[in-house]
Amino acid sequence: LPQLANKESFEDIVRKTINTAKSEGKDIDISFLEMAQMDNLKSSIDAEQWQDFISTVSDILLVNSAGGEAAAEVEEGKFAVIHDPNISMDAIEKQIQELATEKNNGEDVDIGLASKSLEGSVHELSDKEASRALMYTMQQFEAKGMELSAANMKDAFQDYLAENAVKIKQLKQTIARQEFTLNFQPIVELETMTASHYEVLMRFEEGKSPFETLVFGEEVGLAPEIDIAVCRQTFKFLDKGILKDGEKVAINVSGQSVQCATFIDNLMK
């Protein structure tokens, strides 16, 4: 049976759900649900009843989620669910509250139940932007609970950019000043054990992860600037005539760059 995802596995589900929604032309919403006073119930029933309650809450969220799998437990008592905009979180809250009352021998119990929904806005963002906005908002929910300011994922992505403004500025400066080096990794043919070509790898100052930096650059729309900087440095290297006859190099270019007219124009200059 499907189970609630954890924070780590939820990101893959988020990407898949967003991609499916966009390809099918559908809208999705993201809702966050919190049981801030769940200990009121937990302390009044036994462990088996509590586990049954949590298991049923999980089933309720999964059944109402996109694809029957797009729900996660952010931390104890906090949940995230991606769903069709027609799904009513008020109805889900009512169902969970009735379940809590049932488990509490029919007596009312305050579990501090609250939820907040964000419009998906997935058609206004790229897949990566929408995914990053959603994961960022989930992190904010984990830290702040219901004190979320964004009304939709487009706003959430702007919040993400604002929070990372310093990192974006630093990365832009690194690109503009070409404060990086290039490594040429030989790609070897196993039959002949000779290099078929050399893959160009970007490297930053010691201790700075190239993977995390490049992923961040793509998330904030800087991939075309990064890729053109790598191409220009590579061309300078090739102009020195260091490669032997027949030796080739390969540069990995982001799909974001391939779709960018400015990148193509700069590449052809």
Side-chain angles (χ1 to χ4, degrees):
L1 293 175
Q3 293 184 331
L4 289 180
N6 55 32
K7 287 185 295 184
E8 290 70 28
S9 60
F10 194 48
E11 188 161 5
D12 288 336
I13 295 173
V14 166
R15 290 196 184 100
K16 175 183 173 184
T17 304
I18 289 172
N19 183 268
T20 299
K22 292 182 76 171
S23 65
E24 296 179 354
K26 295 181 179 179
D27 292 322
I28 55 172
D29 285 352
I30 172 74
S31 292
F32 300 94
L33 184 140
E34 181 176 20
M35 297 187 294
Q37 305 296 326
M38 65 181 184
D39 284 345
N40 289 341
L41 176 62
K42 190 175 184 180
S43 62
S44 65
I45 60 178
D46 62 36
E48 185 176 346
Q49 288 176 308
W50 173 253
Q51 189 55 51
D52 184 60
F53 170 75
I54 291 297
S55 178
T56 306
V57 169
S58 300
D59 290 342
I60 291 171
L61 296 178
L62 284 166
V63 164
N64 286 282
S65 72
E69 63 173 0
E73 184 173 21
V74 180
E75 63 177 22
E76 190 176 25
K78 291 182 178 180
F79 305 89
V81 56
I82 307 174
H83 56 87
D84 186 281
N86 293 322
I87 295 292
S88 168
M89 287 305 296
D90 288 341
I92 291 175
E93 281 189 47
K94 182 181 179 182
Q95 192 175 357
I96 293 173
Q97 185 60 60
E98 289 175 349
L99 177 65
T101 300
E102 177 188 325
K103 292 297 179 184
N104 198 43
N105 296 318
E107 296 182 9
D108 290 341
V109 55
D110 181 14
I111 57 174
L113 195 58
S115 67
K116 180 167 183 176
S117 298
L118 281 71
E119 293 179 7
S121 309
V122 293
H123 303 292
E124 300 179 46
L125 300 169
S126 70
D127 288 359
K128 286 184 179 293
E129 287 172 344
S131 174
R132 178 47 51 198
L134 200 155
M135 296 306 295
Y136 169 77
T137 306
M138 194 166 79
Q139 291 167 1
Q140 294 298 300
F141 171 58
E142 183 178 6
K144 301 178 180 179
M146 288 293 112
E147 297 177 15
L148 297 172
S149 59
N152 53 59
M153 286 209 290
K154 187 175 181 181
D155 288 349
F157 186 67
Q158 293 305 314
D159 290 345
Y160 167 74
L161 293 180
E163 184 168 304
N164 288 279
V166 174
K167 285 177 65 178
I168 293 171
K169 182 178 179 181
Q170 290 174 340
L171 181 54
K172 283 187 173 182
Q173 289 176 342
T174 297
I175 299 167
R177 297 171 182 170
Q178 298 199 349
E179 294 173 341
F180 58 87
T181 58
L182 299 180
N183 286 358
F184 293 83
Q185 174 71 43
I187 306 301
V188 177
E189 289 186 1
L190 295 180
E191 288 186 6
T192 62
M193 296 306 291
T194 58
S196 65
H197 64 278
Y198 294 86
E199 183 178 359
V200 180
L201 303 175
M202 195 178 197
R203 293 292 181 262
F204 299 95
E205 61 189 46
E206 188 174 351
K208 192 172 185 179
S209 166
F211 176 76
E212 291 179 5
T213 302
L214 295 175
V215 168
F216 176 74
E218 188 153 9
E219 287 172 354
V220 297
L222 293 179
E225 294 181 44
I226 294 172
D227 286 342
I228 198 64
V230 171
C231 289
R232 284 171 175 163
Q233 285 281 56
T234 303
F235 295 156
K236 287 179 181 178
F237 172 81
L238 296 176
D239 285 342
K240 295 178 180 178
I242 297 176
L243 289 183
K244 298 176 183 177
D245 288 343
E247 290 185 328
K248 303 174 184 177
V249 299
I251 303 173
N252 291 318
V253 176
S254 166
Q256 195 178 105
S257 299
V258 173
Q259 298 177 56
C260 176
T262 301
F263 170 79
I264 300 299
D265 289 343
N266 287 330
L267 186 64
M268 301 306 293
K269 289 181 180 177

